[in-house]
Amino acid sequence: MPRQRSKKLRPRDLAVSKAVPKYTPSPWQDALHRNQAKRKWVWAGRRAGKGRAAIQEAISTILEASKTKFIVNGNDVTDTLVPEIHIWTVAPTKAQMRQVWNEMKAFIPRYMWKDYSRAGGRGSCWHEDEYYVELEVRQPNGAFSPDTVRRNVLWELRSADNPETLQTVGLDFLHIAESQDVKAVAWDKVEWVTESPGRMGRIFAEGIPPIARSHWFSRQFMYAENNPSLQNYAVRATSFDNMYLTEQQKKNIHDQKYTTAEWIWERMVMAKQPDVGGGFFRKIEEAARGVEISKPREGHKYVAGLDLGKQVDPTVLIIKNRITRESVHSMEMLKTDWVIQKEAIIAETKRWGCETVMMDSSGMGGDVLFDELLNLGVPVIGQKFTPQTKYQLFLNYAVALQNGTTSFPPEWSKLQMELDAIEVRQAGLGYSFDHPNSPHDDWVDAEVLALMACDPAEAMEEDYDPVYSIKTVAPLSNNGVSYTEGRLMRWRRQRKAKQLEEMRKLTDISTKQESILLDAMD
């Protein structure tokens, strides 16, 4: 009989079970596991071990549920629970479920994996396509405990990006991974699936602190922290609280503080919620120490950032010193004819000898205006604004403000006002930027684009005359991305245009011939 053969694991299973990594909790995890609260809320830095702690909490709940009967009016109705033990892990997206899935395979003991071969069946208890696993509550030797009343476990992984599927079940344990990225509509659905008769109803929600204090995860954590009880328990852990990190790994994590905005590092590593409820740029007043000048200085090299106005927005051009990263001149045009704007942009960038003009080429007509300026000899490089690219530009500028490696004249009140007004909001896995206290953000866009064209901050520390080299012609951004390719593409376009013009002077060529010649030049 299958049940008689199941008393002991086969040699192959025993060998695999021994290979399961042993879970030894760090002190913060040990304190977490010892607490008996029904709902646990965890703010933990990256690599702190919150995911593994969640799996151990789930296994602990499974063992407790396996010995818990469902009694109604004195009658044992445990057999009405289907499945007998039900676990969910909810992650923001399907892609984020993969890490949890892999750790479940690594840390769930092999003797709990349901073995279809005992009954002559085929297949695996791990259903990769649908992200669920079937388990059995067994002892390490493979036998069932005499006091086990619920043997079978269904553990499903669900994605929060489809909230309508997060309901109509009763759960013994709910694990919410990366809770800061789970939207409120999803939480509103899953909160109630733990309030079901006969179920253990445990919740383990983990993640880094949300940016907004109004986020559901922030409200739940703060309430639990201020009102600890058998119902709610809140715990904080930093990345450094993982006792398995080496000293070198800890140093690497610490050094990341100098390559990202301080509040972002504090949030990701130290599990601290930002002090300002959404303010993105810091140390703005300290950066307002530059000097505005009316004409270029001899021996200095300049770049520019250009944000073209759309309808009621102004067009803003900001000139920066390429090496010192100081903003030294600006031009704003509002409700001005495009022909006049175009001539002014050409004149200003030529007067300052701008080597690069970074411009926003997104939006209606962005590509057309970019091509027009390029054909008129303006050394423009287009940057399409998407939530991802804009976030990276803003992040680079926030790091520069934090490290004091950029500046602008104190009289630029519009730039200061717009920087102060920028708020960051979570939007799924990314960010969105708002400026509720300012009607525009054109000065900010032009400023961050101008910084993108500058040399890296390290060049400021070197005492040398500007020369054309890989370092000065193709600076690296703060995130280590080289813009060499963009500049080379612009140089090649200019070279091809010049060569083609010379060919036109020598002979008449058709459009088809022009196309063939351009391909040959590549």
Side-chain angles (χ1 to χ4, degrees):
M1 298 292 290
R3 183 163 294 182
Q4 293 174 341
R5 291 196 302 267
S6 66
K7 290 182 178 179
K8 291 186 178 181
L9 287 176
R10 295 165 297 173
R12 178 178 62 84
D13 289 342
L14 286 170
V16 176
S17 68
K18 292 178 181 178
V20 173
K22 182 180 179 182
Y23 174 75
T24 303
S26 295
W28 80 268
Q29 294 170 320
D30 186 60
L32 172 76
H33 297 323
R34 290 178 183 276
N35 188 280
Q36 298 300 309
K38 186 176 180 180
R39 295 183 171 194
K40 297 182 179 181
W41 312 93
V42 181
W43 279 5
R46 298 300 187 196
R47 317 316 314 159
K50 52 187 179 291
R52 294 186 181 182
I55 292 173
Q56 299 306 314
E57 285 284 311
I59 293 175
S60 177
T61 300
I62 289 172
L63 296 177
E64 184 179 353
S66 69
K67 301 175 183 179
T68 304
K69 295 180 180 180
F70 180 27
I71 306 296
V72 178
N73 296 327
N75 298 316
D76 185 352
V77 292
T78 306
D79 58 355
T80 64
L81 296 173
V82 181
E84 293 177 348
I85 301 174
H86 202 179
I87 311 291
W88 265 12
T89 287
V90 176
T93 66
K94 189 172 183 179
Q96 288 175 293
M97 297 189 311
R98 172 54 63 177
Q99 179 61 28
V100 180
W101 184 251
N102 291 338
E103 291 198 350
M104 286 168 60
K105 286 185 175 181
F107 286 95
I108 295 177
R110 180 61 186 261
Y111 56 81
M112 293 181 68
W113 297 13
K114 191 168 186 177
D115 189 354
Y116 286 99
S117 64
R118 291 192 176 96
R122 302 175 64 183
S124 170
C125 64
W126 295 91
H127 301 267
E128 296 280 350
D129 293 339
E130 298 179 354
Y131 278 105
Y132 73 90
V133 61
E134 296 173 278
L135 306 173
E136 287 181 322
V137 183
R138 295 176 178 271
Q139 296 178 343
N141 65 358
F144 289 113
S145 174
D147 56 354
T148 297
V149 296
R150 290 198 251 172
R151 297 179 177 180
N152 296 299
V153 182
L154 176 63
W155 191 333
E156 300 178 281
L157 276 69
R158 295 296 186 96
S159 175
D161 57 8
N162 188 4
E164 295 306 316
T165 65
L166 304 177
Q167 53 188 347
T168 69
V169 298
L171 295 179
D172 292 284
F173 187 84
L174 170 64
H175 166 214
I176 307 180
E178 303 296 345
S179 301
Q180 76 283 348
D181 293 330
V182 173
K183 295 181 179 179
V185 62
W187 163 247
D188 291 340
K189 296 288 186 181
V190 300
E191 181 181 15
W192 304 108
V193 299
T194 58
E195 301 296 337
S196 183
R199 298 296 181 182
M200 303 300 290
R202 304 288 173 79
I203 294 179
F204 188 95
E206 46 90 352
I208 59 174
I211 293 176
R213 283 169 170 74
S214 59
H215 193 279
W216 69 266
F217 186 38
S218 180
R219 294 199 308 269
Q220 294 289 343
F221 181 91
M222 290 300 182
Y223 179 82
E225 189 172 55
N226 295 325
N227 303 277
S229 65
L230 289 177
Q231 181 73 10
N232 286 289
Y233 173 70
V235 63
R236 299 174 186 253
T238 73
S239 299
F240 302 111
D241 289 328
N242 185 339
M243 66 182 184
Y244 293 103
L245 292 177
T246 65
E247 291 303 317
Q248 183 59 52
Q249 288 173 326
K250 291 180 179 179
K251 183 180 183 303
N252 293 340
I253 293 173
H254 183 272
D255 290 347
Q256 291 172 5
K257 186 175 184 178
Y258 306 110
T259 59
T260 189
E262 185 174 1
W263 71 268
I264 294 178
W265 186 88
E266 293 276 352
R267 177 175 176 246
M268 296 289 187
V269 176
M270 304 305 292
K272 292 183 179 179
Q273 195 167 44
D275 294 333
V276 181
F280 191 79
F281 297 110
R282 312 291 173 87
K283 298 187 177 181
I284 299 170
E285 292 184 2
E286 291 91 328
R289 63 179 188 276
V291 177
E292 186 169 21
I293 57 178
S294 59
K295 61 181 180 180
R297 292 173 176 171
E298 187 176 352
H300 289 246
K301 302 295 182 180
Y302 298 96
V303 295
L306 174 63
D307 184 72
L308 296 175
K310 302 173 181 68
Q311 297 178 350
V312 297
D313 297 326
T315 289
V316 178
L317 177 74
I318 288 180
I319 309 293
K320 269 188 178 289
N321 186 305
R322 192 190 74 195
I323 296 176
T324 67
R325 296 151 65 97
E326 299 172 282
S327 292
V328 297
H329 192 73
S330 65
M331 180 177 66
E332 181 185 53
M333 292 174 285
L334 180 62
K335 297 181 179 180
T336 306
D337 182 79
W338 167 240
V339 175
I340 298 175
Q341 288 192 42
K342 179 172 57 179
E343 294 301 324
I345 293 168
I346 294 171
E348 282 298 291
T349 54
K350 183 177 181 180
R351 183 168 74 91
W352 287 88
C354 292
E355 299 174 333
T356 302
V357 178
M358 297 297 303
M359 69 168 285
D360 174 15
S361 60
S362 56
M364 187 176 297
D367 285 331
V368 175
L369 300 177
F370 167 79
D371 290 336
E372 190 172 350
L373 289 173
L374 182 64
N375 292 332
L376 290 170
V378 180
V380 290
I381 295 178
Q383 174 67 62
K384 289 187 179 296
F385 276 0
T386 66
Q388 292 74 26
T389 60
K390 193 163 186 175
Y391 173 73
Q392 189 59 58
L393 284 170
F394 279 23
L395 177 60
N396 289 345
Y397 194 79
V399 172
L401 287 175
Q402 173 185 301
N403 296 336
T405 58
T406 190
S407 63
F408 53 84
E411 55 266 33
W412 287 10
S413 57
K414 287 186 178 180
L415 176 59
Q416 291 191 59
M417 180 182 69
E418 291 182 11
L419 287 170
D420 276 325
I422 293 292
E423 294 183 356
V424 63
R425 292 286 183 268
Q426 285 182 293
L429 300 182
Y431 300 92
S432 64
F433 294 89
D434 303 311
H435 41 91
N437 299 319
S438 174
H440 305 289
D441 62 354
D442 312 276
W443 279 76
V444 172
D445 290 346
E447 174 75 0
V448 300
L449 284 166
L451 183 70
M452 183 182 183
C454 290
D455 283 1
E458 291 77 11
M460 297 170 58
E461 302 171 2
E462 301 181 12
D463 184 16
Y464 68 91
D465 292 328
V467 293
Y468 287 95
S469 66
I470 289 297
K471 187 168 186 179
T472 55
V473 174
L476 294 177
S477 70
N478 285 319
N479 63 338
V481 178
S482 173
Y483 297 108
T484 303
E485 183 178 356
R487 292 195 178 198
L488 286 177
M489 288 177 63
R490 173 171 55 82
W491 178 78
R492 288 173 183 149
R493 286 196 296 266
Q494 292 172 338
R495 184 190 64 176
K496 288 193 291 186
K498 184 176 180 180
Q499 291 175 338
L500 192 59
E501 184 62 27
E502 291 174 351
M503 291 177 187
R504 288 196 186 103
K505 293 178 181 178
L506 296 175
T507 181
D508 294 330
I509 57 177
S510 65
T511 303
K512 184 177 181 179
Q513 289 172 322
E514 279 191 13
S515 178
I516 295 173
L517 285 170
L518 286 171
D519 290 338
M521 291 177 194
D522 287 332

